[in-house]
Amino acid sequence: MIEIQSIKKSFEDREVLKNISARFDNGKTNLIIGQSGSGKTVLMKCIVGLLAPTSGKILYDGRDFVAMSKKEKALLRREMGMIFQSAALFDSMSVLENVMFPLDMFSSMTLKERTKRAQQCLDRVNLSEAQKKYPGEISGGMQKRVAIARAIALNPKYLFCDEPNSGLDPKTSLVIDALIHDITEEYQMTTIINTHDMNSVMGIGDSIIFIKEGRQEWKGDKTQVATSDNQALTDFIFASDLLKKARQAFI
Amino acid sequence: MQQLGVDSIGIVLMISFFIGAVICIQMKMNIQSPWMPRFTTGYTTREILLLEFSSSIMCLILAGKVGSNIASELGTMRVTQQIDALEIMGVNSASFLILPKIMGLLTMIPVLVTFSMAAGFGGAYAISFAGILTPEDLTYGLQHSFKQWFVWMSIIKSFFFAYIISSVSAFYGYTVEGGSVEVGKASTDSVVHCSMLILFADIFLTKILS
Ligand SMILES: Nc1ncnc2c1ncn2[C@@H]1O[C@H](COP(=O)(O)OP(=O)(O)O)[C@@H](O)[C@H]1O
Ligand SMILES: [Mg+2]
């Protein structure tokens, strides 16, 4: 479980995050939704420590992350996996080497065990046939799946995904969503997902916070989205006419 | 990581060979005159190569080749979030990425500098066999009042230059923010600043070591 308390973040004099508090439970896919530029990536970077929040508290199962020393942070990070918007695979390494990398760095396994574990992870994301390829040679959807395999190689307790569906077609997006959701339940991870994809919201939104201009505007889950009377939220989720009609019909 | 240096052997040998040859021709044609001893050409060619060309000029060229390579590689890793990915895994990305590059260049560049000296002399001999001066005169000139210290001076200088190239270009690449335009800019900036630092360092080192 991850808890954030009154997170604020400013760049120079611009306040990007204005007092955000939330709780992300384990075994669930927790969504942070909002328009482009609303501050989702900044919030996630604050949670994982790539940016330092201007003020606020971040608790990983009660452990205060902001107050930790550099060494303690590095240790805690071995319990984290992250999938970046651009997949961020190491392009000088093959798919298998990418997935093995965290194992090479941090596990005491033998080469054989590490290879086996990496292959297991690739199997889990249905990519065992691509292990010899390089990131430049596979499709965006496959890259994302490799990134997922790499993120779960060390059995993390916390999984972060920044717009895992960006740049993917709707069908591939559903596959990625389902994969993240299943893995989260399987390993009882605390998973946080940034997204503005309405399919993800309705599909895997076990818990949702909606951010607008750096403020937390709404929270709930996928069953409450359609019936919410929050205007900003319905405008964001049901943006097109088609979706507006679908919502009317649903209600 | 050693790739950085090994890949440069070809260009170093080629440039040094031709410059060695050209210096030799220039010395013979334009500097040497009848009342100078016949070893002048070999002697001056050697001094130019050892004192300045094989260390400083070679490192300026390597700043262009290797420095821009390091800056753009690290810059691309930064903008495609590969560096963030390392950080998230708990890897100290700066030391993981930059230290091997510094160590790699500190070992490779002095080696390249000695290769450059050898290739330069090779170029000079090639010219002597082409008939502009006799190989005997050249050999005599090359050996005439030879100071071993000059070779060491070149190698010592090259350690400093290697450190400048690797650390400056790594700094520019590692700290890129933005996209491909910024990566390109970081790569040019790193070459410009490496070159300037090498030139300044050259003045001080020459003063201190001579
Ligand atoms: N490093 C930074 N420096 C200054 N402003 C930034 C920085 N990173 C993000 N921002 C600003 O913060 C706002 C939120 O950005 P971001 O979190 O990336 O949005 P998104 O919700 O699309 O992920 C944007 O307006 C962006 O310009
Ligand atoms: Mg974003």
Side-chain angles (χ1 to χ4, degrees):
Chain A
M1 185 191 68
I2 300 173
E3 233 181 315
I4 56 175
Q5 295 167 359
S6 13
I7 296 291
K8 291 183 188 169
K9 174 72 188 173
S10 311
F11 292 107
E12 276 119 42
D13 51 353
R14 232 185 99 223
E15 204 174 19
V16 174
L17 297 179
K18 299 155 192 162
N19 199 3
I20 297 187
S21 302
R23 216 184 96 160
F24 307 104
D25 288 320
N26 51 333
K28 281 192 191 170
T29 40
N30 302 278
L31 267 49
I32 301 174
I33 64 173
Q35 275 187 348
S36 285
S38 55
K40 302 183 295 293
T41 301
V42 173
L43 177 59
M44 187 170 276
K45 282 187 172 173
C46 285
I47 297 175
V48 300
L50 288 175
L51 288 172
T54 313
S55 69
K57 260 192 171 166
I58 297 159
L59 303 171
Y60 282 80
D61 290 308
R63 294 170 289 180
D64 187 343
F65 186 57
V66 183
M68 281 183 189
S69 69
K70 231 179 155 174
K71 217 169 183 176
E72 290 170 315
K73 277 186 183 161
L75 278 176
L76 179 59
R77 283 202 169 132
R78 293 183 199 166
E79 301 173 15
M80 297 182 193
M82 182 157 180
I83 298 150
F84 289 86
Q85 206 162 340
S86 57
L89 300 179
F90 304 124
D91 35 32
S92 58
M93 300 180 191
S94 72
V95 162
L96 184 68
E97 287 165 345
N98 260 286
V99 180
M100 271 173 74
F101 181 85
L103 301 166
D104 295 341
M105 296 298 293
F106 299 118
S107 78
S108 49
M109 292 186 234
T110 62
L111 179 66
K112 217 167 155 193
E113 289 168 331
R114 279 179 277 148
T115 315
K116 198 165 151 239
R117 170 76 187 143
Q119 278 162 344
Q120 270 174 5
C121 294
L122 282 170
D123 262 348
R124 185 68 193 76
V125 297
N126 294 321
L127 265 184
S128 23
E129 79 283 1
Q131 49 176 284
K132 293 237 160 53
K133 295 217 165 94
Y134 280 80
E137 302 168 346
I138 57 178
S139 71
M142 289 161 96
Q143 288 182 3
K144 284 279 160 65
R145 282 190 280 159
V146 178
I148 295 175
R150 185 177 68 180
I152 61 172
L154 280 172
N155 270 325
K157 282 162 86 174
Y158 313 101
L159 183 66
F160 303 91
C161 317
D162 192 4
E163 310 214 1
N165 297 334
S166 73
L168 301 182
D169 61 89
K171 211 163 168 194
T172 313
S173 299
L174 291 179
V175 172
I176 300 282
D177 280 351
L179 194 55
I180 294 173
H181 191 255
D182 292 351
I183 289 172
T184 301
E185 279 190 343
E186 207 174 310
Y187 301 110
Q188 283 296 302
M189 293 187 287
T190 305
T191 300
I192 304 182
I193 306 171
N194 277 356
T195 185
H196 53 218
D197 181 350
M198 108 111 206
N199 280 324
S200 310
V201 175
M202 302 310 272
I204 56 167
D206 295 340
S207 144
I208 302 171
I209 62 171
F210 172 49
I211 295 181
K212 194 185 171 205
E213 287 158 16
R215 236 180 228 101
Q216 185 179 320
E217 180 81 22
W218 182 85
K219 75 178 188 199
D221 63 38
K222 62 184 176 189
T223 59
Q224 300 161 345
V225 168
T227 50
S228 159
D229 51 12
N230 184 310
Q231 195 57 40
L233 179 74
T234 43
D235 282 351
F236 169 68
I237 300 273
F238 306 98
S240 69
D241 285 341
L242 182 69
L243 290 175
K244 281 197 184 95
K245 280 186 195 126
R247 174 168 181 262
Q248 290 303 330
F250 180 80
I251 296 171
Chain B
M1 300 300 166
Q2 303 286 328
Q3 219 62 27
L4 286 171
V6 176
D7 284 352
S8 301
I9 290 179
I11 192 169
V12 165
L13 291 182
M14 192 188 73
I15 294 178
S16 306
F17 183 87
F18 281 93
I19 296 291
V22 171
I23 291 177
C24 187
I25 300 176
Q26 292 280 25
M27 290 305 146
K28 177 70 189 170
M29 300 295 193
N30 298 324
I31 303 292
Q32 185 142 35
S33 35
W35 58 83
M36 288 183 188
R38 288 209 310 271
F39 63 76
T40 310
T41 302
Y43 173 72
T44 45
T45 304
R46 182 193 80 211
E47 301 296 56
I48 293 175
L49 285 175
L50 289 192
L51 286 175
E52 204 48 32
F53 177 79
S54 287
S55 54
S56 313
I57 306 294
M58 217 54 241
C59 284
L60 281 178
I61 293 168
L62 289 172
K65 183 172 189 287
V66 184
S68 65
N69 178 305
I70 293 177
S72 52
E73 182 185 328
L74 290 180
T76 308
M77 288 190 79
R78 166 67 74 190
V79 301
T80 56
Q81 298 182 307
Q82 292 176 47
I83 291 183
D84 286 347
L86 284 172
E87 284 290 324
I88 284 297
M89 290 175 195
V91 178
N92 183 336
S93 62
S95 61
F96 180 76
L97 294 171
I98 298 175
L99 270 185
K101 300 218 188 300
I102 294 182
M103 298 318 287
L105 285 198
L106 279 179
T107 39
M108 276 316 290
I109 286 198
V111 173
L112 289 175
V113 163
T114 46
F115 280 14
S116 160
M117 295 172 186
F121 297 142
Y125 271 108
I127 284 306
S128 76
F129 288 121
I132 291 182
L133 77 168
T134 64
E136 291 73 35
D137 285 347
L138 183 64
T139 309
Y140 185 78
L142 288 179
Q143 290 171 347
H144 179 75
S145 58
F146 170 72
K147 294 200 195 71
Q148 209 184 17
W149 171 243
F150 286 178
V151 175
W152 292 117
M153 193 161 103
S154 261
I155 291 175
I156 293 171
K157 284 205 291 187
S158 72
F159 278 113
F160 284 88
F161 298 155
Y163 183 73
I164 291 175
I165 295 174
S166 49
S167 58
V168 170
S169 57
F171 170 80
Y172 276 95
Y174 190 80
T175 54
V176 168
E177 273 177 36
S180 57
V181 177
E182 284 77 9
V183 175
K185 195 170 167 310
S187 160
T188 341
D189 284 353
S190 81
V191 174
V192 172
H193 288 104
C194 282
S195 308
M196 279 171 22
L197 279 174
I198 287 175
L199 292 172
F200 282 121
D202 192 22
I203 291 181
F204 287 111
L205 288 170
T206 308
K207 189 87 184 55
I208 292 167
L209 296 173
S210 302

